[in-house]
Amino acid sequence: MTSRPTDTTPSDTSGEATRSVTLIAGTAILALLVGTLLGWLVFADSTPGDDSAEAGFARDMTEHHAQAVEMSLQVIHTTDDQDIRTLATDIASTQGNQMGQMEGWIRTWDLPMAASGERMAWMADVEGYDDHSMAEHDATGAMMPGMATSAQMEELRSLEGEAADILYLQLMTTHHIAGIDMAQAALDAGVEDEVQRLSAAMVNGQEAEIALMTDMLHARDAQTLEESGEDADH
């Protein structure tokens, strides 16, 4: 009796994508619980206020991360490229975990998740970042700098295969560039030690991912939006 070869079908890819999504969701829930616990321990004697850089950073970066996770989960379902799937899974897992930590801090600080003022207002008090006006981004439909517009998100959902892979890499590179800017602003603001550690991890991790995504685009005869001179907020 001979053994039959393994048949790799589209359902295998779908099953792998579903497992990735389930793992990411579970990781985010666990991170929220761990983040809350760490918040109680780390910030027991020092609770940042509602208008603090810590609170502003945690709120804005949580929203920023949410779109990165959404884009990554989308491309996990559509890509046929294992390198893209691995990258997207790593980004979704890492940023989902970080979202859990930041949401845990905000709960520990007994603050509302939604800010009462303008997004990124906390950056206005950081030297070198006082020109971060949200007006130009609101006009394009982007929620914050680096974030994809509604039209770009719809385009990503409509594409498949390499076309989707390339757009994902372009949008995520732009997303990371702005995320690094925000994380560096938190460091420059002199936030609490635990917030500093996460901000530094974001800067280092996303810089490495930008280099990787740039190489992946070049390997596909494509460029980042910044290299092509295209307005990332078009």
Side-chain angles (χ1 to χ4, degrees):
M1 183 175 180
T2 60
S3 61
R4 298 174 61 185
T6 301
D7 181 19
T8 302
T9 64
S11 62
D12 295 327
T13 301
S14 177
E16 182 178 350
T18 300
R19 287 191 294 273
S20 296
V21 173
T22 302
L23 176 61
I24 292 163
T27 300
I29 292 171
L30 178 60
L32 176 57
L33 296 175
V34 172
T36 301
L37 176 60
L38 288 175
W40 287 335
L41 296 175
V42 174
F43 298 105
D45 298 325
S46 177
T47 302
D50 189 57
D51 60 350
S52 65
E54 287 85 354
F57 168 75
R59 286 166 172 152
D60 289 345
M61 191 60 85
T62 294
E63 183 176 356
H64 211 260
H65 273 21
Q67 189 185 68
V69 172
E70 181 183 357
M71 288 194 290
S72 297
L73 294 181
Q74 174 64 30
V75 83
I76 286 171
H77 281 295
T78 60
T79 189
D80 296 320
D81 189 312
Q82 186 55 47
D83 289 338
I84 295 289
R85 180 173 290 109
T86 297
L87 171 68
T89 300
D90 286 347
I91 290 175
S93 297
T94 297
Q95 297 209 9
N97 182 290
Q98 292 172 346
M99 285 172 64
Q101 293 181 60
M102 292 184 290
E103 289 177 4
W105 293 343
I106 294 171
R107 292 174 186 273
T108 299
W109 301 335
D110 197 26
L111 298 175
M113 278 300 303
S116 57
E118 188 180 68
R119 294 179 181 89
M120 298 176 66
W122 61 276
M123 293 178 68
D125 295 328
V126 183
E127 185 177 355
Y129 295 92
D130 57 357
D131 59 345
H132 279 70
S133 169
M134 286 303 303
E136 59 182 295
H137 303 287
D138 289 341
T140 65
M143 301 298 289
M144 281 187 281
M147 289 183 71
T149 65
S150 297
Q152 288 170 329
M153 290 297 294
E154 187 59 35
E155 183 180 4
L156 181 63
R157 297 185 192 101
S158 71
L159 297 175
E160 295 182 355
E162 187 175 60
D165 295 344
I166 289 174
L167 182 59
Y168 169 74
L169 292 171
Q170 290 174 328
L171 295 179
M172 190 60 72
T173 297
T174 299
H175 203 275
H176 272 18
I177 290 171
I180 289 171
D181 199 27
M182 291 170 62
Q184 187 60 55
L187 292 172
D188 294 344
V191 291
E192 297 277 357
D193 289 350
E194 186 65 17
V195 183
Q196 281 192 34
R197 280 190 285 271
L198 184 59
S199 300
M202 289 177 186
V203 170
N204 294 332
Q206 292 187 33
E207 283 180 343
E209 287 172 346
I210 287 173
L212 173 61
M213 291 188 291
T214 301
D215 288 344
M216 293 175 78
L217 281 168
H218 292 170
R220 292 162 176 77
D221 295 323
Q223 295 179 307
T224 67
L225 298 179
E226 289 70 24
E227 287 175 327
S228 65
E230 185 175 353
D231 185 352
D233 289 331
H234 74 282

